[in-house]
Amino acid sequence: MRLLPALAATLLMSSPLLAHAAGPDSQTASGHADILVKSDHSWNGVAYQHYPATPPQLTVLRLTIPPHTALPWHIHPVPNAGYVLAGQLTIQDRATGKEQTFHTGEAFTESVNDPHRGVSGNEQTVLILTYSGTKGTPTSVPLKGEKTEY
């Protein structure tokens, strides 16, 4: 009689519908997360302010910058963070002259409403940028007389 429940369980688990749901060799487990950056201020030490009361709109960009290139001076009206997939990026603050370089595998937080620019190194720089804005708000605004950042 004990064989019957075991047989029923085996038949139930071998059902194509159940096997497809999780995959034949899958298991349930949590993933591993590495926090790349978590901050209440930008790379240059300026604290982030409150968010607008309107619904958020997230934007994720992949930005490729040729070697030896300085992006135009610009501001970001919303908080954002970046991750260097390849190359390096030096962020320069226009008002203070402060700069910091981030290399492949490093994350950074960008400033809000502070004029700055990014400068690539000897090789192409590839970034993933995540903006936390609102509908209709640009992610980057060039300073007067400058080209757009992207």
Side-chain angles (χ1 to χ4, degrees):
M1 285 308 224
R2 291 183 187 172
L3 183 59
L4 193 53
L7 182 58
T10 302
L11 290 173
L12 184 59
M13 294 308 289
S14 65
S15 163
L17 181 60
L18 292 176
H20 178 69
D25 298 324
S26 66
Q27 63 180 345
T28 300
S30 298
H32 173 78
D34 292 318
I35 296 175
L36 301 176
V37 67
K38 183 177 187 178
S39 183
D40 61 358
H41 60 278
S42 65
W43 70 273
N44 62 0
V46 177
Y48 291 128
Q49 302 301 312
H50 63 84
Y51 283 106
T54 57
Q57 182 178 54
L58 301 178
T59 303
V60 179
L61 300 175
R62 180 183 170 122
L63 181 63
T64 303
I65 307 166
H68 305 289
T69 299
L71 296 173
W73 293 102
H74 61 277
I75 64 164
H76 299 289
V78 298
N80 69 92
Y83 180 80
V84 183
L85 283 175
Q88 71 177 43
L89 182 73
T90 300
I91 302 177
Q92 300 174 333
D93 184 274
R94 188 171 181 177
T96 65
K98 184 178 179 179
E99 64 179 45
Q100 187 170 346
T101 301
F102 301 93
H103 299 91
T104 299
E106 293 184 317
F108 55 92
T109 54
E110 285 208 67
S111 57
V112 176
N113 294 322
D114 288 332
H116 67 282
R117 69 179 179 182
V119 180
S120 63
N122 294 329
E123 56 189 62
Q124 175 177 277
T125 298
V126 181
L127 308 170
I128 297 293
L129 301 169
T130 303
Y131 297 87
S132 181
T134 58
K135 189 173 184 176
T137 302
T139 55
S140 180
V141 178
L143 296 188
K144 187 174 182 175
E146 294 281 338
K147 295 179 180 181
T148 59
E149 177 186 16
Y150 43 79

